[in-house]
Amino acid sequence: MIDTIKEHLTQVENFSSTSMDEIEAFRIKYLGKKGLLNQFFAEFKNVPKEEKAAFGQIINQLKNTANAKVNDLKAELENHTEAKGVYGDLTRPGHPIELGARHPISIVKNRIIEIFSRIGFNVSEGPEIEDDWHNFTALNLPEYHPARDMQDTFFIQTNPDILLRTHTSSVQVRYMEENKPPIRTISPGRVYRNEAISARSHCFFHQVEGLYIDKDVSFADLKQTLQHFTSEMFGKSKIRLRPSYFPFTEPSAEVDVYWGLETETDFKMTKGTGWLEIMGCGMVDPNVLRNCNIDPEEYSGFAFGMGIDRIALLLYQIPDIRLLSENDVRFLEQFKSSL
Ligand code: PHE
């Protein structure tokens, strides 16, 4: 009897299969209710007393080996199936993929860049820590010019020549110094102004400024470009230009887009007028061109500048500008976009 069991033990040890059906048949043969093991256990009472110990030991060994074998083969089969990319267990829950969100400032900025790059503008960047020349003097704002007060500036205390740029017009100066016309460039970036922080204004915000310099560029070109932009950006092409003043442009204008007065939000956004102020613009002052070594007799151009934060607040109806810089995930994760 013990010899028969030993033979089975060798068979069990040598058994191998990659078929679930075969493994199951093997399990039933040894471990099933009417399987061999139960038959051997039933035999136990007939075994002579002095053989009982050895007999018990060998059937227990058979039982453990068979159990281990079945478990090993099944586990191996499962691993194997997964490695091969065959569907494994279809009822298993999937791994959720968290989609990242872009910052609303980036979404609006990328959209503006996209619109202007389609009509031939490239993107230029410059330093946030500027010198007086690029931020003011070259832009027709010499020392003691009263218009310097329009932009409350953060100076670096130890050196009044170094400051945090108050607009990205400084990048346009740098671009003109380094490139010959025709120039078509937009300059997105962060700017700083020494203003009290409130729901409406912050001491830093973001701008996109644009510059176009070539022969015979006229105010009509400026208006057409802006109209194209507003219709692409907001789906609204009715704009108006109100006379304004900037030291670096002449003539200068403030651009309003007609938003409409159809909904309560329109009414709130436009303070009941239907018009929304979105940017400043004008024809580049000849003094600025001269400062950047461009001959104003030969070339003319236009420039414009808009605040990204303001546009983001409008488009997404964000009630407080401070939300844009607080990095609260609950706020940020609401902006899923492909841009
Ligand atoms: N630099 C101006 C500002 O920061 C915007 C502007 C740019 C106006 C170009 C006219 C032309 O307010």
Side-chain angles (χ1 to χ4, degrees), residues 128-133 135-136 153-165 174:
E128 290 181 21
I129 300 172
E130 259 304 357
D131 52 34
D132 184 283
W133 169 258
N135 196 79
F136 289 128
T153 311
F154 283 117
F155 290 95
I156 308 289
Q157 242 176 359
T158 47
N159 184 350
D161 186 44
I162 306 293
L163 46 92
L164 295 178
R165 68 182 177 195
R174 286 178 180 276

Side-chain angles (χ1 to χ4, degrees), residues 58-78:
I58 192 89
I59 43 175
N60 268 328
Q61 197 184 345
L62 181 65
K63 185 181 153 196
N64 292 339
T65 317
N67 256 327
K69 191 63 153 191
V70 169
N71 289 341
D72 285 356
L73 287 176
K74 278 190 177 169
E76 201 178 297
L77 197 63
E78 269 163 26

Side-chain angles (χ1 to χ4, degrees), residues 139 150-151 166-170 172 191 193 205 207-211 245-249 251-254 279-284 302-307:
L139 287 160
M150 277 164 71
Q151 306 183 342
T166 60
H167 49 189
T168 56
S169 304
S170 56
Q172 309 189 331
V191 300
R193 290 189 197 173
F205 56 98
Q207 284 190 324
V208 176
E209 296 218 353
L211 178 72
Y245 172 76
F246 297 103
F248 27 87
T249 47
S252 305
E254 214 77 59
M279 65 172 113
C281 69
M283 301 306 291
V284 181
F302 62 72
F304 55 86
M306 65 191 107

Side-chain angles (χ1 to χ4, degrees), residues 17 19 39 42 117-118 120 125 151 165 173 235 277 320 334:
S17 169
S19 142
Q39 289 176 33
S117 57
R118 263 190 270 127
E125 285 179 339
Q151 306 183 342
R165 68 182 177 195
V173 173
E277 184 188 317
D320 191 322
Q334 296 174 47

Side-chain angles (χ1 to χ4, degrees), residues 13 21 31 63 78 92 95 99 107 138 142 202 206 227 237 240 245 248 261 263 297 306 310 321 324 333:
E13 274 165 355
D21 288 346
L31 301 159
K63 185 181 153 196
E78 269 163 26
R92 263 183 8 195
H95 299 290
L99 258 195
I107 299 174
H202 212 297
H206 305 78
Q227 211 159 30
S237 52
R240 73 178 180 195
Y245 172 76
F248 27 87
L261 271 178
T263 66
E297 300 297 324
M306 65 191 107
R310 227 181 86 77
I321 196 170
L324 294 174
E333 69 189 359

